[in-house]
Amino acid sequence: MKAEPAYQVLREQLRNEIAVGRYPQGVRLPTESELVARHGLSRQTVRRAFQDLVAEGVVHRVPGRGTYATETGRRYLRQLGSIEDLMSLSEDTTMEVLTGLHRRVDVDAASRLRLDDDIVYSVVFRRLHDGIPFVLTMVHLPEPVAQPVLDSPDLDQGATGTHTVIGLLEPHLAEPISEAAQSITVAPADAAVADAVGCEPEHAMLRVDRLYSDASGRPVELSVSYFLPEQYTYRVTLRRSS
């Protein structure tokens, strides 16, 4: 059997030590130099182990002070590389509808959906992982897309479940969703966002906008999400084209 790479062995050891409380809040993890000397490893091996733990949200670095375990130890990590990955959010999170699917006027959303009028159908929900809210999302739909799910109990106010909006929509679409154009910025939490995820108003949030299109290039859904950085790590896998 092929031996596990040294950086993975060290990564799992540090992860286990964090899990059992060896490095509680305010206690610094060993430095790269300390781990090199303690385990007889190369600096590159130690650095790779730390990089993985940082990417997973298990630890965070404080410039000039060192590396510390993430306070909650329960930050949610998603690794995204496909439409299927976005749909799989339903596998380990709970969707809680705060404002049910309804008809409204929204000039900006209608424009981004390339609609002829200003009418969209919107639903507002938050997602929780292990009972902890980490994102508030507003989804906007063109009327023809929204019609088949208007009576869906999964999109009523107060509904909870393990599903995604695109997962509910796609069986009713004439063509499958084939693209999600995404932009990521930093934005302050307004009162609604702050209340939904349990942070202070004006707290810096990770804003992720996604415009989903079908195989013919028609926009079918616009989602605007505000992620709480303390509870969410976003990872994208980039592959070299052949």
Side-chain angles (χ1 to χ4, degrees), residues 3 40 58 67 73 81 110 123 132 136-137 172 174 201 214 217:
V58 176
T67 303
V123 59
I132 299 174
L136 177 75
T137 298
H172 303 284
D214 65 16

Side-chain angles (χ1 to χ4, degrees), residues 79-87 239:
Q79 179 163 312
L80 303 175
S82 67
I83 297 294
E84 288 74 18
D85 288 341
L86 292 173
M87 289 183 168
R239 298 180 176 89

